[in-house]
Amino acid sequence: MTHDFSNLRVDFPVLDQHVGGHPLVYLDNAATTHKPRSVIDAVARFYERDNSNVHRGLHALSMRATDGYEAARARTAKFINAADPAEIVFTRGTSESVNLVAQSWGAANLKPGDVVLCTEMEHHSNLVPWQLITARTGATLRYVPVVGDDAEGGLDLEAVDRLLTPEVKLFAFTHISNTLGVTNPVKELCAKARAVGAISVIDAAQSAGHEMVDVQDMGCDFLAFSGHKMAAPTGIGVLYGRRELLDTMPPWQGGGGMIANVEYAASTWKPAPERFEAGTPNVADAIGLHAAIDYLDSVGRPALGAHESELAQMACSALSELPGIRILGPRPGSARAGMVNFAFRDVHAHDVVTFADQDGVALRGGHHCNQPLMRKLGLPSTIRASFYLYNTPADVHALVASMRKILKFFGAE
Amino acid sequence: MSDLTDLYQAVILAHNKRPRNRGKLPTATRVASGDNPTCGDNCTVYLCMDGEKIGAVSFEGSGCAISQASASLMTTQLVGKSPAEAESTFAEFKDIVTTGGEPEAFSEIAAFAGVHAFPARIKCATLAWHAALDALKQPDRPIDD
Ligand SMILES: Cc1ncc(COP(=O)(O)O)c(C=O)c1O
């Protein structure tokens, strides 16, 4: 069954507006996506009818709030095929999820001589937490390089084999790069990590809301993603962790909701996931995440990912004909995830983004939270167009037309 | 509704296309850098003092048309000025880019008035100026390569 992607725009109230006198063409989805009416309504309904704290009240509203929050956890577990809802920890987002693993698992397990391996294409969120914890524990941080002047070869898989030595205790890598549009062979990477006894951490920020993510099939130990990048509200995210690992990990924050018993001298902890959710959780947005998952699955993830990737390839091919353009990641005509990142020789990214905005085209310009990679590629700043289920070929045409206009204005044609 | 031709005035486009005083100044005795971490723009300003006045200025770095043109124009404005005069020129420039006002006397810096309608770009326009004022506060010393 193929879904009709031509009219999903009507499900997203925010898209019904003009910017600069033009209908909004929103192509900054890798930064954050918009929310469908059903998600906005689910959050509003919670505040209007069920609002209460969870896991502590015995009254009707508290029970409804608790049920809603735990149903969201169970739905999320099913969404990524986790074996047990207890393997789902709710966080604020990908960044917090990765920091949790670093601060809890990392602090308890890393020591001098150990190696944490990550990759040159990691978002700062899956890089800086490893810098912090390796500096604190005396472990060493190493990077798998990317291949090619425009990183068109993706991750250097031979280097992975070379770098995955027995000293490596943890291997952290992204599923889909937010800068390159490259999809990494995560199942293979998890297997290689396991072979040397390292645990694997997948950054699924750019994949979870776009394609099928099956943690058991991938064989990962941890997987992190953000609700706001997949049609859910901001402020809610997920850390999946294998049960055996989560149960051995110490808490990383203390507070209400995570304790079994508190004495003045010391306390004991609840098992996962509560152990890692100190304080009142973000109940409303977890319920919003549940609604977003239902929405995405009603569209169907495999079709959704294929749609975005088709738009990105269409954009990549059309843009590649513009003078002085440099495109990162897969070459035109090759498979790519739903985004394209590029730079012009003659016009700076910020000027491009300001111009496109006047045409109602929302793009991202900058280093995309990937400064070391951009530096390596010799690009201080690039332009990114990223697609989601509500985008259409007409949006690609608007993008390309706007780019042509800009090049003309700056006399770069 | 602000037009892009207000932002990208001919003077700005010309300075962007052919920047003045770009590159390292071999005789420089003061240098300072600034960057804009959210967008990756950076700018280094080199100064050579001539007594109490600025004798020569140059800049290096990368960034958008606004930041490059602003740096280029700045180098033409600062030569011959004392640190106090440089500061008051910057104050006037900052006023123009944040309010859209006009300079007191005729000056090319008027071309930057359109920036005020694009608040996200004000930092681009002031980047080089901040670096220059930082450099002015330093003692003279040889600049190592
Ligand atoms: C690949 C990747 N990882 C991590 C993040 C961080 O996500 P968040 O800011 O929601 O924590 C992002 C998004 O900015 C991303 O694209």
Side-chain angles (χ1 to χ4, degrees):
Chain A
M1 194 192 77
T2 53
H3 203 93
D4 179 7
F5 285 92
S6 63
N7 60 358
L8 293 179
R9 191 179 168 98
V10 298
D11 293 345
F12 294 79
V14 79
L15 294 175
D16 183 20
Q17 63 175 297
H18 284 63
V19 170
H22 303 266
L24 171 62
V25 174
Y26 184 82
L27 299 179
D28 193 17
N29 294 288
T32 200
T33 65
H34 290 305
K35 327 304 175 197
R37 168 64 65 199
S38 62
V39 168
I40 298 168
D41 286 350
V43 173
R45 209 161 43 236
F46 171 76
Y47 283 124
E48 285 168 4
R49 295 209 324 240
D50 303 331
N51 178 53
S52 215
N53 213 323
V54 291
H55 300 147
R56 33 199 101 164
L58 291 175
H59 54 82
L61 269 58
S62 177
M63 286 186 282
R64 289 210 295 266
T66 304
D67 288 349
Y69 185 65
E70 291 308 322
R73 197 190 303 281
R75 183 68 183 89
T76 305
K78 200 167 146 233
F79 181 68
I80 57 170
N81 195 32
D84 183 346
E87 298 182 314
I88 303 297
V89 180
F90 283 129
T91 63
R92 283 192 298 128
T94 309
S95 305
E96 191 172 74
S97 297
V98 175
N99 278 284
L100 192 167
V101 179
Q103 295 300 323
S104 171
W105 189 92
N109 291 283
L110 293 173
K111 54 183 190 316
D114 289 345
V115 171
V116 170
L117 188 60
C118 81
T119 86
E120 284 184 348
M121 66 169 81
E122 294 316 305
H123 187 280
H124 297 165
S125 293
N126 197 26
L127 191 161
V128 181
W130 306 118
Q131 289 180 335
L132 291 172
I133 197 62
T134 50
R136 210 176 104 197
T137 56
T140 304
L141 181 57
R142 295 208 177 112
Y143 298 91
V144 178
V146 294
V147 183
D149 290 344
D150 296 323
E152 67 276 11
L155 213 55
D156 183 345
L157 294 176
E158 283 168 23
V160 171
D161 292 330
R162 202 165 57 240
L163 287 163
L164 267 178
T165 56
E167 292 75 40
V168 177
K169 293 294 177 293
L170 183 146
F171 185 19
F173 48 86
T174 193
H175 188 183
I176 292 178
S177 158
N178 66 304
T179 308
L180 304 175
V182 161
T183 303
N184 286 323
V186 287
K187 186 172 178 175
E188 187 185 328
L189 296 176
C190 290
K192 286 177 193 281
R194 207 176 315 117
V196 296
I199 66 159
S200 50
V201 180
I202 300 180
D203 174 350
Q206 295 295 342
S207 61
H210 303 262
E211 56 178 74
M212 297 308 281
V213 165
D214 179 332
V215 289
Q216 295 189 69
D217 180 60
M218 286 172 170
C220 59
D221 293 302
F222 294 102
L223 179 126
F225 59 99
S226 302
H228 71 95
K229 291 183 196 283
M230 48 173 282
T234 49
I236 188 76
V238 174
L239 174 68
Y240 158 83
R242 261 196 321 113
R243 183 100 201 235
E244 302 90 279
L245 280 169
L246 284 179
D247 279 342
T248 63
M249 285 158 53
W252 77 309
Q253 292 176 342
M258 51 78 73
I259 45 82
N261 181 48
V262 177
E263 307 275 348
Y264 282 118
S267 306
T268 53
W269 328 123
K270 280 188 183 155
E274 281 84 7
R275 182 183 302 172
F276 303 105
E277 294 180 358
T280 299
N282 186 351
V283 185
D285 294 322
I287 286 166
L289 175 65
H290 188 163
I293 289 175
D294 285 345
Y295 180 83
L296 294 181
D297 277 350
S298 76
V299 174
R301 269 176 291 166
L304 191 169
H307 170 74
E308 293 166 6
S309 152
E310 210 173 291
L311 293 178
Q313 284 189 59
M314 187 188 285
C316 180
S317 298
L319 290 169
S320 71
E321 288 169 14
L322 300 180
I325 195 169
R326 193 172 153 195
I327 295 175
L328 299 187
R331 300 296 80 192
S334 309
R336 61 163 55 241
M339 71 192 82
V340 53
N341 217 310
F342 56 98
F344 292 113
R345 183 188 56 222
D346 302 318
V347 191
H348 191 272
H350 295 155
D351 299 315
V352 172
V353 171
T354 298
F355 261 76
D357 190 45
Q358 300 291 299
D359 288 337
V361 179
L363 298 171
R364 170 86 186 269
H367 54 59
H368 314 284
C369 290
N370 213 317
Q371 265 183 332
L373 177 61
M374 300 288 280
R375 213 169 278 131
K376 172 172 169 160
L377 299 176
L379 284 166
S381 188
T382 63
I383 304 142
R384 181 178 67 197
S386 51
F387 301 89
Y388 209 32
L389 39 68
Y390 36 68
N391 292 119
T392 62
D395 296 342
V396 175
H397 299 317
L399 165 71
V400 177
S402 182
M403 295 303 109
R404 284 195 187 283
K405 211 164 105 187
I406 294 161
L407 291 174
K408 194 162 167 199
F409 183 91
F410 281 93
E413 270 193 328
Chain B
M1 238 331 271
S2 222
D3 200 271
L4 281 168
T5 48
D6 288 345
L7 178 61
Y8 294 97
Q9 299 246 333
V11 171
I12 295 181
L13 292 177
H15 273 278
N16 178 50
K17 202 140 206 168
R18 276 182 298 102
R20 323 284 192 277
N21 305 307
R22 198 193 160 98
K24 197 167 174 175
L25 187 65
T27 56
T29 52
R30 300 182 188 186
V31 60
S33 301
D35 62 3
N36 201 338
T38 49
C39 52
D41 287 3
N42 60 73
C43 183
T44 301
V45 174
Y46 299 91
L47 295 178
C48 167
M49 298 304 287
D50 178 10
E52 289 303 300
K53 308 245 179 211
I54 298 169
V57 196
S58 78
F59 79 100
E60 271 184 330
S62 70
C64 61
I66 305 298
S67 75
Q68 297 299 289
S70 164
S72 167
L73 184 71
M74 180 192 77
T75 63
T76 67
Q77 298 286 313
L78 292 185
V79 176
K81 289 203 161 82
S82 69
E85 288 165 341
E87 277 198 42
S88 71
T89 307
F90 178 44
E92 186 175 28
F93 180 78
K94 206 153 76 179
D95 185 59
I96 289 166
V97 298
T98 50
T99 67
E102 301 216 344
E104 267 175 33
F106 172 79
S107 163
E108 276 195 320
I109 61 175
F112 285 83
V115 174
H116 88 281
F118 298 83
R121 306 303 295 278
I122 292 172
K123 281 212 292 269
C124 311
T126 56
L127 179 63
W129 292 82
H130 283 294
L133 293 194
D134 277 354
L136 273 173
K137 293 198 185 90
Q138 296 180 8
D140 283 312
R141 60 185 167 82
I143 306 296
D144 29 311
D145 311 84

